[in-house]
Amino acid sequence: MQVTSRRFKDSAHEALHDKDIQSAFSKVKGGFPVARAKSAGELPEFEDLRDQARDLKNHILENLDYYLEYFEDQVLLQGGRVHWCSSYAEAREVVLDICRDANAKTVTKGKSMITEEMALNEHLSAHGIEPIETDLGEYIIQLAHEHPSHIIAPALHKTKDQVTELFHENHGKYGFTERITDPQALVNEARSILRDKYVNADVGITGANFLIAETGSTVIVTNEGNGDLTQSLPKTHIAVSSIEKVVPTLEDASLFLRLLARSATGQEMSVYTTFSTGPKRMEDIDGPANFHVVLVDSGRSDLLGSDKQDLLRCLKCGACMNHCPVYQAVGGHTYGWVYPGPIGAALNPHMVGLEESRHLPNASTFCGRCEEVCPVRIPLPKIMRHWREQAFETQVTPKPERWGIGIWAFFAKRPKLYRLMTRVSARALKLMAGKKGVIRKLPLMKGWSSVRDFPAPEGTTFMDQWKKQQREGK
Amino acid sequence: MSAPKEKKNVALFVTCLVDLNRPSVGFAAVKLLEAAGCTIMVPEVQTCCGQIAYNSGDKESAKEIASQVIRAFQGFDYVVAPSGSCAGMVRHHYKELFEGDDTMMVAIEELAGRTYELTSFLHDICGYRPEDVRLDTTLTYHDSCSSLREMKVRDQPRALLGAVEGLEIKEAEDREACCGFGGTFCLKYSEISESMVDTKIENLLASGAGTLAAGDLGCLMNIAGRLKRRGAPMKVMHVAEILAGMGEKPGLGEGDS
Ligand code: SF4
C-alpha cells in the first residue's frame, strides 16, 4: 500500500474537518474502552495475566528460531507445508504460486493485517486472481477501495449511509437492486453474496493470531465465523503469518486468548476461535486438501535484540488505539500506513522508514494510556521517544525544532543566565498582557496562539521573589 | 500518622513553569509544606527537569540538565515538586536517560526514592490535612497524565480538597483523558491539541463546576488558555493555591484584579 505518513499533518487537518470521521472516531472512546474496563475489572487475575503474557512473549522472542522450527516440524508432520519469506515480495510470490498451482480464479480471505502489509490483494488482482474479503468490515472497504482505519474494526470510518451506497452500487449484479438502510438487512445482503463466494473459492487465505509450536496449528479469532468458512471450504488453505506469532503450547495460547478479546472489545472470548492443524485427514468430514503456512519476516527479525524488540510482543488487539486521544481525534488513515494509533506510531518508522514517518512518534503527548492498557505491556511511549532520539541524532528532526531545543537547553544548563532570561521574559510577557491577563498573540509561538490565549505570568519569577524574601528575613 | 519527631528537610523543585508563569503556586507549596512540618530550601541552581529536551529526542542536553538537577538536590530528605510531570521525570525517566551508567545510577536511584509530587507528599508522607481553609465554590479536578499514570496520584489531591470547607467537588466525565498539552506537542500539532483540549473542556464545563484545579501547570495553562479563547467562564487554579487558602486570588489568565 502507498505510504502517506509524510502527509500526517495535512491528513490530520483534513480528518479534523471531516464530520463523518469525527463522529466515527469520537465514538470509539465510549465503546471499546468502557467494555474493556468492565471485562478486565471482572477478572481478578487480569493484571497478573498481563505480566505473564509479557514474560512469556519475551521468552518466545529470545527463542524465536527454536519455536519456529519446532512449529515447522509439526506442520510437516501433519502434512502441511511451511514457506519462509524474508520480504513482502517473496511472500507475495509464494502465495501467488500456490494460487496458480490450485488454478485459482477467486480466493476468499479472512481478516489479516500481514496481507495488508504486503499488499496481497493488489498483487493477486494484478495477476488475474480475484481476492474476496469475507470479514464484513474488510469487505466494505474492499468495495470502497480503501484500507483499514482500525486493526480490528477496519471500516470504522464508514458511515451507514456510505455502506448503503456502496452496496447499492456493487450488489446490483447479484440481483440486489433495492437501496437498503437497515443495518441488519445490509449484513444479510453481504452474507448471502459471500456464501456463494465461499463455496466457489479455489483458495482460502487467512492470517493467524497464533501459531502453536507443539501442534503445528494456526489459530484465528473472529466474531463472524467468516474465517472458518474461508479456511475449511476451499481446497487449499494458506495461513499467512508474521514470525512473532508463534507460541510454544496450546496452554500458552489460552493465556493470550484470555487477554486478547478482553483487551480488544471487552468480550471474554471472541465468538469463534478456530484451530487449523494440517490438511484434511481421511476421517475428517471437511477441510482443505492442501495446508500452507507462509511465514513473513520483513524486517521483524531486525527488531530482535534492539531497543524496540518489545514491539514484537504485540497481539494486534487494538486497545492502544481505542484509548488513544490522538487516534480518536485524527482517525486511522491519518497515520498513512497499515498500523494506526500508538502501535503504528511505534512500529511504522521501522517498517517504512523514520524519515517517511517521523511525525508519527512525535504526534503524542505521552499521556501513557496506551501502555496502561496494552495486554503485553509494550512501553509504547518509550519506544516513540527512542524514535525521537534517533530522529534528533540523524538530523531527521527539522532544523528550527533542533535550534529551538538547543537555545532553550543552552539557558537551562546555565542557571545564572537562565535567571536573567526568565526575569526579563516574565516582565515582558506581563507588560504585553497589560490588564487583560492573557496574551492573544505570542511571537514565535504560533502553535500556541493559533488555538489558545497565553495566561500572562505574574511578572516576577519565583526565584527572584524567594531570594528577596530570604534577604529580608521574610 | 503520628506527629513527626523531626522536621523534614525538603527541597522545593519549583519547576520552570511555576517559576516563570505562576510563582504563587511555589509560595502555596512552601506554605503547605511548612504547615505540614517541613523545613523548606530552594536550591538556587535549579532551572528545569530537562523534560523538553528529553521528549524532543535531545538526549545529550537532557542528560546535562538532569546531572545539574541531581547535584542541586543532593543532601535533602525529600525533593518535592508542585507537578507530577517534573517529579515523574526525576523519579522515572532519569534512570532511562542514564541506562548503563552505573556510577550515575546510584545517585539517580537515591534521588528517585525521595522525589515526590506535592499533593501525594503532603497526603502520604506528611499525613497532612488542611485546616481552617474555606472556599465556597464548586470544583472539578483534572488528573494530569503524568500525575495519574507515572506518580499514581489520583485520590490524594481529592482527599486534601475534601478538607477545604465550603468546597464541593464535581467530577467530570472521562477525567483521565489527556488535555492535549504534551509539552511541545501543543505547539507542533496545534490542531490535534485543539481537538483534544476542546473535548476536555466540554467535559469540564458539563460537570457544572465553577473552578478547575489540577496539579500541573502545563495542563492548566493549556486549558485556561483555551477557555479564555473560547470565552468560557471557568476559573483555573493550581490545587496548591486552593489548599493553601489562596483560592480567592485571580485564576490563570485573569490578570491582577
Ligand atoms: S501494542 Fe499492545 S495494545 Fe496495541 S495492538 Fe499491540 S498488543 Fe494491543
Side-chain angles (χ1 to χ4, degrees):
Chain A
M1 105 183 232
Q2 205 198 339
V3 188
T4 57
S5 306
R6 212 179 277 271
R7 290 190 75 247
F8 180 84
K9 272 191 166 183
D10 294 332
S11 308
H13 174 84
E14 288 154 20
L16 286 163
H17 291 89
D18 183 318
K19 275 205 194 78
D20 290 338
I21 290 184
Q22 287 305 305
S23 97
F25 288 91
S26 63
K27 269 191 225 129
V28 171
K29 59 175 167 287
F32 291 143
V34 175
R36 177 208 171 267
K38 184 162 177 290
S39 81
E42 283 165 3
L43 190 67
E45 64 269 38
F46 190 75
E47 295 305 312
D48 286 343
L49 293 179
R50 291 175 65 193
D51 289 339
Q52 289 173 33
R54 173 199 56 207
D55 296 346
L56 178 55
K57 275 279 176 187
N58 284 345
H59 164 83
I60 294 166
L61 294 172
E62 300 296 322
N63 302 280
L64 194 57
D65 49 347
Y66 172 78
Y67 287 118
L68 283 171
E69 283 173 9
Y70 202 114
F71 171 76
E72 179 181 33
D73 290 346
Q74 298 310 308
V75 174
L76 292 176
L77 270 179
Q78 299 292 341
R81 284 195 58 192
V82 175
H83 309 262
W84 301 75
C85 305
S86 59
S87 66
Y88 295 144
E90 219 178 299
R92 284 192 297 258
E93 284 316 307
V94 166
V95 173
L96 183 62
D97 283 347
I98 300 171
C99 290
R100 280 179 171 156
D101 282 351
N103 284 322
K105 295 201 176 44
T106 63
V107 307
T108 41
K109 276 193 72 217
K111 202 179 135 16
S112 139
M113 293 312 290
I114 185 73
T115 57
E116 234 2 279
E117 280 184 45
M118 55 197 248
L120 182 61
N121 287 0
E122 290 84 337
H123 192 70
L124 292 175
S125 302
H127 291 84
I129 297 169
E130 187 198 359
I132 298 144
E133 294 287 352
T134 61
D135 170 273
L136 184 61
E138 291 282 353
Y139 176 74
I140 291 169
I141 58 171
Q142 188 183 25
L143 291 183
H145 305 289
E146 289 175 3
H147 293 284
S149 57
H150 187 290
I151 62 175
I152 65 162
L156 190 64
H157 60 287
K158 286 272 171 233
T159 62
K160 193 176 71 87
D161 292 347
Q162 288 169 346
V163 175
T164 293
E165 284 316 306
L166 264 178
F167 281 14
H168 185 64
E169 277 164 34
N170 288 278
H171 288 173
K173 59 176 181 253
Y174 303 109
F176 295 97
T177 46
E178 219 181 302
R179 185 182 257 111
I180 45 173
T181 53
D182 173 53
Q184 192 53 49
L186 286 166
V187 172
N188 292 345
E189 186 172 302
R191 250 197 205 143
S192 76
I193 290 168
L194 285 171
R195 200 150 289 151
D196 287 341
K197 304 279 183 188
Y198 288 122
V199 180
N200 295 324
D202 306 295
V203 174
I205 299 177
T206 65
N209 290 88
F210 307 101
L211 307 171
I212 298 179
E214 72 170 345
T215 60
S217 312
T218 64
V219 184
I220 54 168
V221 299
T222 68
N223 277 326
E224 298 167 16
N226 62 308
D228 301 42
L229 297 174
T230 302
Q231 65 186 30
S232 52
L233 291 183
K235 270 229 178 63
T236 300
H237 172 205
I238 309 173
V240 187
S241 171
S242 49
I243 53 173
E244 78 283 9
K245 298 280 175 152
V246 69
V247 303
T249 65
L250 285 166
E251 184 84 27
D252 296 328
S254 76
L255 166 64
F256 296 118
L257 284 168
R258 294 184 76 194
L259 288 165
L260 180 58
R262 285 185 169 89
S263 299
T265 55
Q267 293 164 285
E268 286 178 19
M269 286 283 276
S270 301
V271 179
Y272 298 86
T273 302
T274 313
F275 295 71
S276 280
T277 313
K280 177 176 182 305
R281 277 156 291 247
M282 293 281 279
E283 62 276 20
D284 290 344
I285 300 166
D286 50 24
N290 310 298
F291 178 69
H292 295 268
V293 181
V294 177
L295 289 176
V296 188
D297 179 345
S298 190
R300 281 164 169 87
S301 56
D302 298 338
L303 286 170
L304 290 170
S306 79
D307 59 344
K308 302 180 188 80
Q309 172 174 311
D310 293 345
L311 288 171
L312 295 175
R313 295 204 296 262
C314 180
L315 302 179
K316 308 277 149 60
C317 73
C320 54
M321 58 203 73
N322 293 339
H323 290 77
C324 177
V326 174
Y327 175 85
Q328 285 162 11
V330 303
H333 288 153
T334 300
Y335 292 79
W337 194 62
V338 179
Y339 299 102
I343 182 62
L347 179 67
N348 296 3
H350 176 72
M351 307 303 278
V352 304
L354 180 55
E355 229 191 303
E356 170 67 44
S357 60
R358 72 164 190 93
H359 281 301
L360 271 49
N362 272 292
S364 161
T365 61
F366 287 155
C367 80
R369 253 188 153 171
C370 49
E371 182 174 0
E372 189 178 48
V373 297
C374 173
V376 283
R377 301 197 192 281
I378 300 175
L380 294 155
K382 178 174 163 177
I383 293 170
M384 288 181 223
R385 189 182 294 106
H386 285 181
W387 284 121
R388 295 186 190 184
E389 283 162 10
Q390 203 161 311
F392 197 89
E393 272 162 29
T394 56
Q395 323 234 334
V396 169
T397 309
K399 277 212 183 90
E401 226 175 291
R402 301 165 56 82
W403 288 342
I405 294 296
I407 295 169
W408 171 86
F410 174 86
F411 284 103
K413 284 186 272 190
R414 293 166 178 79
K416 284 217 173 84
L417 264 184
Y418 183 87
R419 292 279 99 81
L420 200 69
M421 191 260 300
T422 49
R423 183 176 303 147
V424 173
S425 312
R427 267 191 217 148
L429 289 169
K430 162 100 173 151
L431 274 176
M432 274 175 75
K435 280 215 164 57
K436 289 196 301 288
V438 292
I439 301 161
R440 291 190 74 86
K441 251 201 184 142
L442 263 186
L444 302 176
M445 293 243 283
K446 209 173 130 251
W448 184 281
S449 312
S450 62
V451 175
R452 323 158 190 81
D453 291 350
F454 187 82
E458 290 170 359
T460 313
T461 65
F462 177 88
M463 289 311 242
D464 281 352
Q465 292 187 51
W466 177 258
K467 251 199 258 167
K468 187 155 173 261
Q469 281 192 8
Q470 296 298 300
R471 267 202 312 272
E472 292 165 359
K474 284 206 181 173
Chain B
M1 187 175 270
S2 59
K5 288 176 223 77
E6 267 175 41
K7 283 201 157 189
K8 298 178 183 67
N9 252 321
V10 171
L12 183 70
F13 190 172
V14 182
T15 76
C16 55
L17 286 180
V18 167
D19 178 46
L20 177 77
N21 201 273
R22 206 158 163 93
S24 57
V25 175
F27 288 104
V30 170
K31 190 171 164 194
L32 288 164
L33 289 165
E34 282 179 344
C38 308
T39 310
I40 316 300
M41 294 288 293
V42 183
E44 250 200 73
V45 289
Q46 60 176 301
T47 56
C48 162
C49 64
Q51 196 172 163
I52 301 181
Y54 182 56
N55 284 347
S56 301
D58 184 356
K59 209 171 168 180
E60 283 319 304
S61 297
K63 274 174 134 172
E64 286 179 54
I65 296 162
S67 307
Q68 184 173 289
V69 171
I70 295 163
R71 278 196 305 277
F73 289 98
Q74 263 166 5
F76 299 97
D77 298 339
Y78 296 99
V79 177
V80 177
S83 157
S85 172
C86 312
M89 177 73 190
V90 177
R91 169 99 62 97
H92 299 291
H93 295 288
Y94 282 9
K95 286 178 216 170
E96 277 174 39
L97 258 182
F98 289 93
E99 220 170 281
D101 184 339
D102 293 342
T103 26
M104 280 304 276
M105 211 47 84
V106 181
I108 289 170
E109 298 269 359
E110 193 266 337
L111 174 63
R114 57 189 168 87
T115 300
Y116 287 85
E117 177 277 339
L118 178 68
T119 59
S120 56
F121 181 75
L122 289 170
H123 185 270
D124 301 343
I125 304 298
C126 304
Y128 175 75
R129 235 183 112 78
E131 274 167 39
D132 300 327
V133 180
R134 182 163 194 102
L135 187 67
D136 291 296
T137 186
T138 47
L139 177 142
T140 191
Y141 193 82
H142 164 65
D143 292 290
S144 85
C145 298
S146 31
S147 287
L148 185 68
R149 282 179 269 270
E150 284 186 351
M151 300 305 280
K152 310 290 171 220
V153 177
R154 182 205 324 246
D155 300 334
Q156 300 93 326
R158 291 181 171 82
L160 295 171
L161 287 166
V164 175
E165 288 165 42
L167 194 68
E168 188 195 337
I169 298 184
K170 293 187 163 200
E171 296 289 3
E173 274 292 301
D174 215 5
R175 63 186 213 207
E176 298 189 355
C178 178
C179 72
F181 174 61
T184 55
F185 170 87
C186 73
L187 307 176
K188 286 189 284 191
Y189 301 95
S190 49
E191 282 194 298
I192 304 175
S193 174
E194 174 181 349
S195 158
M196 288 164 72
V197 71
D198 277 344
T199 307
K200 173 58 62 180
I201 283 175
E202 306 300 332
N203 285 323
L204 294 173
L205 293 174
S207 75
T211 301
L212 162 72
D216 277 86
L217 202 51
C219 316
L220 288 172
M221 287 174 67
N222 175 43
I223 299 171
R226 182 64 185 166
L227 281 166
K228 285 279 160 225
R229 178 63 56 93
R230 288 176 42 163
M234 184 174 236
K235 182 169 170 173
V236 179
M237 304 285 284
H238 191 282
V239 62
E241 297 174 303
I242 291 173
L243 295 174
M246 294 153 67
E248 300 292 352
K249 72 177 289 240
L252 270 83
E254 281 173 18
D256 296 331
S257 47

